[in-house]
Amino acid sequence: MLLSASVKISSVKDALAALLKDYEVAAPVSDGANLLYSYITDPNDVVFSDQLPYKSPKEFLLPQTEKILAFGEDSAEDIQEAKKTVIFDVRPCDLSAFKRITDKVFSEGKFKDGFYMRRRKASATIGMACKSLKPGCFCNLRGIDKSYSTECDIFLTPAGEDEYIAAAHTPVGCDLLKSCFRSVPAAFSPEPAELSETLEICSEEKDVFEKVNWDAMSASCISCGTCTFVCPACHCFDFKDKGSVRYRVWDSCMYSAFTLHASGHNPRAGKPERFRQRFMHKYVYMLKNIGESACFGCGRCTRKCPAGINARRVLECIKAEAAGGSDG
Amino acid sequence: MTEEKLSIIEALKTICEDLFSKRVISRVLAFTEGEIKEIPVVSLITNPEGLKGLKWDESCNKPLAKLLLGLKPKTAIIARPYDARAVVMYINENQLKRDDVFIIGVGKDASDFPVFDAFAKDPSPLQSAREPSPSRGSLDFFLAEIDRCILCYACRQACWGCYCPSCFMERGIPDWTPAGVGREAKIAFHLGRTMHLAGRCVECGGCKTACPSGVNLKYLIDSLTQMCYEEYGHKAGMEEGARDPLSDYRCDDGQPGFLE
């Protein structure tokens, strides 16, 4: 922590107004049916609540659709669009998804993704503590402290009735705190949270692949892909050319066209294989490839699944079945 | 849970236990209690033990019929009227055989079900999924709903009527869709889907209940449903052997088409 200060809750809207002068600001708003992160023009539209917006804020770093290239007869132009953005009220689960998954995948691996990196560099995150676990949340079993995070520029922790303690973790965060927030320096030493043991599948990859009854596990899934769209850590994408523009769009492993080859062959031909891919990618392959499971227990998939599939239950069942008898 | 709902659950358990013991069915497609009170779990119950968690209340409002596809041998479905209508449509469209399904209807009146094999009375069932439609000319309403859509296709996946192995939205040749997730692509998808469901909607409301963003474009399909009823006297899934207007072309048809 570079700086800590106390901020009156009543002054946060003024701070957002100050930020709006230089930045695009994305914050939770209500569209009548749902709470969701959206670019705001008026701080009064921001909804302050303990609820999690139904989609993660990943769209501000990895938009659902983005133009990446425009080409003419003998020219090609790289489209480099990255607006200066502040994402406000991001919870520890989503902050970890940015830091430990999308950052690693798009900017720390063998291939650097300029589009993501430009957006990330132009963005600041203001985190916020969660007061309670919402139905479906299981961040406590995914190694996340819901009440504190350092994986952001500024983190706000409620202190008393009308105050936040703002902790700035980066030089950008210090600047924003000093320039846009009316704050009074205050000492802050967050208490380390007592975390439950992390729920991980401990079996060999081969055992998870072969011993789990994926047919039964996926029986009620309707392959809608909602889980992947609302997830902060899912990041699969596809390209689409239209006219002289190339777009990148989100893809979903739940779709029948995912991994469909030009020949018509699909190595993951059916729902059980696609369901297996989603869970193994999250909890087995990512752990092996980058040292982090791609799930932080935000519970969005569970809350939005039309078939009532509970991700934590599925994870527990996979763990148990994979560790089961050798003849599966 | 009310006494009323508990007694329905007991009745359903008795019916299913009997079916299991007589080996009539090998599984039951139903809702069971999950860890989260408000979120019922869609389950394929394969033994009498599994019936313990059976759930039946207002939250059990997701259509189940689509999960019957490909399930053999016989599966029992705990059906609201729209599920039974979807089964009839599947039979009419050669996707399912009547013998492969055992329909346990739950509703106010058995006459609401086009077919059933057993019936349990629910004196206060769910309200009809149909909603008051906004005026047909309301472009603002339409665009507001379109803007909320995230084009995840949950509505299509929940819809009993959308069972094409490859949706027109995923076809490359010809490529129907604009790139990206702008209004153009969303409008192309929703209007295309609406047309494909003309006279085929069983009014389950699954498109709306499955939508993560709470988009309501069912009124578009409702208006075609109404038109089919007015013009052709046809309601989807009400009669075994009936053909829907879009797949029943007759040269001597004096009725106007949809696109006129």
Side-chain angles (χ1 to χ4, degrees):
Chain A
M1 193 185 322
L2 300 178
L3 183 67
S4 65
S6 118
V7 173
K8 291 268 183 247
I9 289 179
S10 54
S11 73
V12 170
K13 281 184 183 172
D14 294 337
L16 290 172
L19 287 167
L20 275 167
K21 285 177 192 152
D22 293 316
Y23 293 88
E24 301 279 340
V25 177
V29 300
S30 170
D31 71 353
N34 283 291
L35 189 66
L36 73 164
Y37 289 105
S38 181
Y39 287 118
I40 59 163
T41 51
D42 181 351
N44 289 317
D45 293 339
V46 176
V47 176
F48 291 82
S49 80
D50 196 40
Q51 294 306 308
L52 244 70
Y54 88 100
K55 284 189 287 178
S56 86
K58 71 178 171 189
E59 65 191 274
F60 301 100
L61 300 182
L62 183 70
Q64 191 174 355
T65 174
E66 63 179 322
K67 289 181 190 177
I68 56 170
L69 187 71
F71 41 92
E73 267 180 32
D74 50 8
S75 65
E77 179 200 350
D78 195 7
I79 296 171
Q80 304 190 359
E81 196 184 81
K83 295 181 218 159
K84 280 175 75 184
T85 303
V86 170
I87 315 172
F88 177 74
D89 192 0
V90 187
R91 304 302 164 88
C93 49
D94 292 341
L95 292 170
S96 292
F98 284 166
K99 200 79 172 180
R100 304 185 203 170
I101 300 299
T102 47
D103 279 1
K104 286 196 180 176
V105 169
F106 292 112
S107 54
E108 292 169 27
K110 190 171 157 196
F111 302 101
K112 308 277 187 259
D113 186 297
F115 305 98
Y116 177 89
M117 287 168 72
R118 276 191 288 274
R119 280 205 181 77
R120 184 63 156 142
K121 202 171 166 219
S123 302
T125 45
I126 299 181
M128 180 90 80
C130 259
K131 289 182 187 134
S132 63
L133 291 178
K134 270 60 75 177
C137 283
F138 61 109
C139 64
N140 55 326
L141 300 176
R142 303 294 319 153
I144 300 294
D145 174 5
K146 71 180 188 314
S147 54
Y148 189 65
S149 170
T150 58
E151 297 172 314
C152 56
D153 295 289
I154 299 175
F155 193 84
L156 301 174
T157 308
E161 281 294 291
D162 63 340
E163 248 175 70
Y164 290 123
I165 292 287
H169 296 298
T170 63
V172 171
C174 288
D175 287 348
L176 290 179
L177 188 54
K178 283 181 199 155
S179 60
C180 296
F181 287 81
R182 284 201 304 277
S183 61
V184 182
F188 182 45
S189 45
E191 288 179 22
E194 283 181 32
L195 295 177
S196 316
E197 196 182 338
T198 306
L199 177 62
E200 297 283 8
I201 303 168
C202 305
S203 306
E204 291 293 322
E205 181 179 320
K206 191 168 178 289
D207 286 341
V208 186
F209 198 92
E210 290 174 356
K211 283 188 187 171
V212 175
N213 184 346
W214 295 105
D215 284 355
M217 201 74 83
S218 65
S220 62
C221 170
I222 63 168
S223 305
C224 72
T226 295
C227 48
T228 61
F229 275 55
V230 298
C231 176
C234 279
H235 53 267
C236 288
F237 57 82
D238 196 5
F239 295 110
K240 187 154 180 166
D241 289 346
K242 205 76 187 185
S244 61
V245 180
R246 172 162 297 171
Y247 295 83
R248 166 157 68 182
V249 294
W250 288 356
D251 203 347
S252 167
C253 54
M254 298 282 102
Y255 292 163
S256 55
F258 189 77
T259 67
L260 178 65
H261 296 180
S263 65
H265 172 70
N266 193 333
R268 298 191 197 106
K271 182 172 76 176
E273 291 84 2
R274 297 195 285 270
F275 192 91
R276 180 189 65 209
Q277 169 62 17
R278 175 165 158 81
F279 281 90
M280 287 196 69
H281 192 195
K282 281 201 171 304
Y283 300 108
V284 181
Y285 307 143
M286 289 297 275
L287 189 59
K288 186 172 141 194
N289 294 344
I290 64 167
E292 291 281 352
S293 292
C295 171
F296 300 94
C298 72
R300 289 186 175 94
C301 52
T302 300
R303 285 189 291 276
K304 283 297 183 185
C305 177
I309 296 171
N310 184 315
R312 202 205 78 242
R313 279 291 301 148
V314 173
L315 180 55
E316 285 167 352
C317 291
I318 293 171
K319 184 181 165 88
E321 284 187 29
S326 58
D327 54 9
Chain B
M1 211 178 306
T2 61
E3 290 284 318
E4 194 177 285
K5 300 293 181 200
L6 283 173
S7 75
I8 294 165
I9 290 171
E10 285 312 311
L12 291 173
K13 277 184 189 163
T14 309
I15 293 169
C16 295
E17 275 164 10
D18 187 47
L19 291 170
F20 273 127
S21 72
K22 289 181 180 154
R23 296 179 187 274
V24 177
I25 55 163
S26 49
R27 61 184 87 72
V28 181
L29 179 53
F31 293 101
T32 54
E33 298 279 354
E35 289 174 24
I36 304 170
K37 203 171 121 267
E38 308 81 27
I39 306 181
V41 177
V42 176
S43 298
L44 279 162
I45 301 164
T46 52
N47 53 50
E49 279 290 290
L51 294 166
K52 275 185 193 151
L54 215 58
K55 183 179 173 83
W56 188 259
D57 62 22
E58 290 71 21
S59 67
C60 303
N61 61 358
K62 306 285 197 298
L64 298 175
K66 194 171 189 177
L67 288 167
L68 289 171
L69 292 180
L71 287 181
K72 282 182 189 174
K74 206 158 189 157
T75 305
I77 177 171
I78 295 185
R80 297 196 189 264
Y82 50 67
D83 289 311
R85 288 175 66 186
V87 169
V88 170
M89 287 297 284
Y90 278 139
I91 295 165
N92 291 349
E93 297 186 3
N94 300 320
Q95 300 301 314
L96 205 63
K97 293 209 162 52
R98 180 68 183 90
D99 284 347
D100 290 336
V101 195
F102 190 99
I103 301 169
I104 305 168
V106 191
K108 200 167 188 173
D109 194 332
S111 69
D112 294 335
F113 291 78
V115 286
F116 62 90
D117 301 294
F119 179 74
K121 194 171 172 64
D122 183 354
S124 48
L126 271 182
Q127 293 299 306
S128 157
R130 186 183 289 206
E131 309 203 350
S133 297
S135 72
R136 280 192 192 176
S138 176
L139 185 62
D140 288 346
F141 180 90
F142 174 72
L143 290 177
E145 296 301 300
I146 286 289
D147 287 344
R148 274 224 300 271
C149 167
I150 58 171
L151 208 60
C152 67
Y153 303 125
C155 48
R156 176 188 79 189
Q157 294 304 117
C159 179
W160 82 270
C162 283
Y163 56 78
C164 291
S166 165
C167 178
F168 74 98
M169 288 299 280
E170 280 150 12
R171 303 291 293 186
I173 308 170
D175 191 349
W176 292 97
T177 59
V181 191
R183 274 185 173 175
E184 301 85 353
K186 293 194 252 180
I187 291 172
F189 168 61
H190 285 291
L191 293 189
R193 205 180 86 81
T194 299
M195 289 308 290
H196 288 186
L197 286 165
R200 295 177 65 241
C201 173
V202 298
E203 303 166 81
C204 65
C207 47
K208 188 163 172 279
T209 47
C211 177
S213 318
V215 172
N216 177 16
L217 287 169
K218 180 172 169 288
Y219 77 96
L220 296 174
I221 301 171
D222 283 346
S223 76
L224 288 188
T225 302
Q226 185 67 24
M227 209 186 288
C228 278
Y229 185 63
E230 285 166 9
E231 299 287 349
Y232 304 98
H234 173 86
K235 272 187 118 177
M238 296 306 278
E239 191 189 333
E240 243 180 285
R243 301 189 69 182
D244 63 274
L246 273 196
S247 59
D248 193 19
Y249 181 75
R250 291 174 206 168
C251 292
D252 60 350
D253 192 346
Q255 303 285 352
F258 287 103
L259 296 174
E260 284 170 29

